[in-house]
């Protein structure tokens, strides 16, 4: 999917993505990006879907059962997502009872890992329907 020109919604629970100051994002997150900050990820995702009509929702550090329910709500509403979570490899993600739900339900298109050298590795691709590397 080409994200150029798409409406993006960011749930920035702790201000780590946009670095908002007086309502203005200090990080370059794009001109078609709406940000909801200082609100829980589940509530923020639902608010974005209902009121902002994003094509993509972005949130960091997902991992609670409420986060997963909100992601399922967004996906079932036709919204794509870009989410971060902690895990060193696919086995760690599969062992996490919360994150493994997204894998089991095949709601994830790709899993990427960032190594200690900031190199990106593909860990899973739904297109090939298999674990990579």
């Amino acid at each position: 999917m080409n994200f150029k020109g798409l409406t993006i919604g960011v749930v920035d629970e702790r201000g780590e993505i946009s670095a908002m100051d007086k309502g203005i994002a200090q990080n370059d997150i794009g001109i078609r990006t709406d940000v909801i900050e200082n609100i829980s990820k589940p509530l923020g995702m639902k608010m974005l879907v209902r009121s902002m009509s994003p094509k993509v929702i972005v949130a960091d550090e997902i991992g609670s059962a409420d986060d997963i329910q909100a992601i399922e709500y967004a996906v079932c509403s036709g919204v794509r997502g870009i989410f971060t979570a902690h895990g060193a490899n696919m086995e760690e993600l599969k062992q996490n009872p919360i994150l493994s739900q997204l894998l089991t339900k095949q709601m994830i298109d790709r899993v990427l890992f960032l190594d200690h050298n900031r190199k990106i590795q593909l860990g899973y691709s739904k297109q090939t329907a298999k674990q990579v590397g």
Side-chain angles (χ1 to χ4, degrees):
M1 173 176 266
N2 182 357
F3 294 115
K4 184 177 182 178
L6 292 179
T7 303
I8 309 287
V10 175
V11 182
D12 202 0
E13 192 171 31
R14 291 178 298 279
E16 297 174 329
I17 299 171
S18 64
M20 297 287 274
D21 182 38
K22 298 178 184 165
I24 300 172
Q26 301 305 297
N27 292 331
D28 183 3
I29 57 172
I31 60 172
R32 297 184 66 182
T33 303
D34 295 307
V35 178
I36 294 182
E37 66 171 344
N38 300 319
I39 193 166
S40 72
K41 287 183 284 285
L43 182 57
M45 284 187 247
K46 290 176 184 173
M47 289 173 64
L48 283 168
V49 169
R50 290 179 184 157
S51 62
M52 305 305 269
S53 301
K55 297 291 181 192
V56 178
I57 290 180
V58 176
D60 64 345
E61 299 180 12
I62 62 164
S64 74
D66 290 339
D67 292 347
I68 302 308
Q69 288 176 342
I71 290 168
E72 289 175 351
Y73 172 79
V75 169
C76 289
S77 298
V79 180
R80 307 285 301 255
I82 299 173
F83 305 104
T84 67
H86 291 276
N89 53 49
M90 286 303 295
E91 288 308 312
E92 278 190 23
L93 294 182
K94 288 178 183 177
Q95 290 174 6
N96 181 313
I98 302 299
L99 296 176
S100 66
Q101 291 178 40
L102 291 176
L103 292 165
T104 302
K105 294 178 181 179
Q106 297 184 345
M107 299 186 87
I108 293 179
D109 288 336
R110 279 177 216 92
V111 175
L112 303 174
F113 292 96
L114 183 63
D115 69 17
H116 296 293
N117 297 318
R118 302 184 72 110
K119 186 176 177 187
I120 299 172
Q121 300 289 325
L122 179 64
Y124 170 82
S125 173
K126 189 176 184 178
Q127 282 183 325
T128 59
K130 66 178 182 178
Q131 188 171 326
V132 180

